[in-house]
């Protein structure tokens, strides 16, 4: 009986040793790999890929919110030679923070202010203070802030946005520098005519660059930048690490 107990004790000890060894191997090798596999190094600058993903998320919000031609904020990000985040119009900032959450339904909807504050600070950090406010989308439509319930209420009509005039954007370069990420982008304005599209430098339509044929109903950004690249406005979207250790929009600057 004692021998049997001894054998069982030895087996348990072996299992514990193997388990501990396995943990050490995991902790030293596999865990280390897990913790570093989302980090990329470019030109001796280390960056968390998840943070770079968030930069892409912010750019996507800009591209969508500022590309509704019925809106008062149509093309807002491209109207300035230099736009620092501290000078950003706060109503435009709320609009870009809320746009992705708007539901097109022809009926009144509500969104909590806390949710939009989270989006707002993800984009602008602490540099541009969040102040809830009602904003006009068009002359006849607004997003109203309800201070009693701490919500935004709105009605967005269901519309057909196919082939309405728009800004198209193509990223051409990403630069990492110290605590900055700089995305260089080509931005041009498009008006559609049947199976073709006229390409302008901006919505003022003062400078027509040319015409391209639609491919599967779409403008080829590669074709446009290939043909007219040297004449298309170029912008640097600069993101900087904020107090929350995340990248926030810092500056938009037209460089060409």
């Amino acid at each position: 009986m004692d021998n049997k107990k001894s054998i069982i004790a030895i087996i348990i000890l072996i299992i514990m040793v193997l388990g501990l060894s396995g943990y050490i191997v995991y902790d030293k090798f596999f865990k280390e790999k897990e913790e570093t596999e989302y980090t990329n190094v470019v030109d001796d600058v280390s960056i968390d890929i998840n943070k770079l993903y968030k930069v892409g998320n912010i750019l996507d919000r800009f591209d969508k919110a500022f590309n509704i031609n019925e809106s008062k904020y149509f093309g807002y990000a491209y109207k300035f030679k230099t736009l620092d985040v501290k000078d950003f119009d706060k109503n435009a900032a709320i609009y870009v923070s809320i746009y992705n959450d708007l539901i097109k339904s022809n009926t009144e909807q509500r969104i909590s202010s806390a949710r939009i504050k989270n989006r707002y600070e993800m984009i602008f950090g602490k540099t541009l203070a969040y102040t809830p406010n009602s904003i006009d989308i068009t002359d006849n439509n607004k997003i109203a802030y309800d201070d009693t319930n701490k919500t935004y209420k709105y009605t967005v009509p269901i519309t057909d946005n196919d082939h309405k005039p728009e800004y198209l954007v193509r990223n051409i370069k990403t630069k990492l520098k110290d605590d900055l990420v700089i995305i260089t982008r080509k931005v041009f304005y498009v008006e559609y005519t049947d199976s073709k599209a006229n390409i302008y430098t901006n919505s003022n339509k003062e400078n027509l660059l040319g015409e391209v044929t639609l491919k599967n109903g779409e403008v080829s950004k590669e074709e446009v930048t290939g043909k007219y690249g040297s004449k298309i406005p170029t912008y640097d979207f600069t993101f900087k690490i904020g107090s929350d250790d995340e990248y926030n929009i810092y500056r938009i600057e037209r460089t060409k």
Side-chain angles (χ1 to χ4, degrees):
M1 187 69 177
D2 290 338
N3 289 338
K4 186 175 182 180
K5 288 182 178 179
S6 298
I7 292 172
I8 293 173
I10 291 171
I11 292 173
I12 292 174
L13 183 60
I14 292 172
I15 291 172
M16 289 176 64
V17 170
L18 290 174
L20 181 60
S21 299
Y23 173 78
I24 292 172
V25 170
Y26 171 81
D27 191 58
K28 287 293 185 181
F29 298 99
F30 294 100
K31 187 177 179 183
E32 182 179 353
K33 183 178 180 182
E34 283 185 354
E35 290 176 347
T36 59
E37 65 181 349
Y38 296 106
T39 299
N40 190 23
V41 177
V42 180
D43 295 334
D44 296 326
V45 178
S46 180
I47 184 170
D48 185 332
I49 295 301
N50 285 320
K51 292 179 181 179
L52 196 59
Y53 173 81
K54 289 180 181 178
V55 167
N57 182 289
I58 294 171
L59 287 175
D60 179 68
R61 287 174 177 273
F62 273 64
D63 294 344
K64 290 177 179 177
F66 297 138
N67 208 17
I68 305 301
N69 63 350
E70 300 94 344
S71 165
K72 289 187 173 183
Y73 306 105
F74 181 56
Y76 174 79
Y78 319 122
K79 294 183 181 296
F80 308 90
K81 176 66 173 69
T82 301
L83 177 59
D84 289 326
V85 67
K86 63 181 177 62
D87 300 320
F88 215 95
D89 181 283
K90 288 195 174 182
N91 285 352
I94 290 174
Y95 184 68
V96 75
S97 303
I98 202 172
Y99 181 79
N100 280 16
D101 291 285
L102 297 179
I103 300 172
K104 295 181 180 180
S105 65
N106 293 325
T107 59
E108 185 177 281
Q109 304 288 327
R110 287 179 178 264
I111 305 175
S112 73
S113 177
R115 184 176 185 179
I116 301 310
K117 181 181 180 183
N118 178 274
R119 307 287 194 269
Y120 187 102
E121 292 182 347
M122 181 270 290
I123 297 170
F124 300 101
K126 301 294 185 180
T127 304
L128 193 69
Y130 172 71
T131 305
N133 189 37
S134 298
I135 58 174
D136 292 330
I137 303 176
T138 66
D139 290 334
N140 302 313
N141 195 9
K142 73 180 327 182
I143 298 172
Y145 180 66
D146 181 349
D147 189 51
T148 301
N149 296 302
K150 308 300 181 187
T151 60
Y152 292 93
K153 56 183 180 179
Y154 66 92
T155 300
V156 176
I158 299 173
T159 58
D160 179 11
N161 289 320
D162 189 38
H163 283 180
K164 288 188 177 181
E166 62 181 339
Y167 279 97
L168 292 181
V169 179
R170 188 182 183 198
N171 297 337
I172 60 172
K173 183 171 64 175
T174 299
K175 182 178 181 181
L176 308 182
K177 181 180 178 182
D178 300 326
D179 60 347
L180 304 178
V181 173
I182 303 170
I183 311 293
T184 301
R185 323 181 84 197
K186 291 286 187 181
V187 182
F188 54 94
Y189 178 75
V190 177
E191 280 197 347
Y192 297 91
T193 57
D194 297 325
S195 61
K196 297 182 182 295
N198 291 323
I199 310 300
Y200 299 89
T201 54
N202 57 53
S203 59
N204 292 333
K205 298 195 295 184
E206 296 171 349
N207 189 1
L208 174 65
L209 298 179
E211 181 185 77
V212 296
T213 300
L214 301 183
K215 298 178 179 178
N216 297 320
E218 302 288 341
V219 170
S220 168
K221 298 178 184 179
E222 292 78 6
E223 179 184 356
V224 173
T225 54
K227 284 183 176 180
Y228 313 113
S230 62
K231 299 178 181 179
I232 295 174
T234 304
Y235 292 81
D236 279 350
F237 281 67
T238 300
F239 296 81
K240 187 175 183 179
I241 286 286
S243 58
D244 58 354
D245 198 36
E246 297 287 350
Y247 283 101
N248 312 124
I249 188 69
Y250 176 69
R251 176 180 294 133
I252 302 171
E253 181 178 11
R254 179 169 175 173
T255 59
K256 184 177 179 181

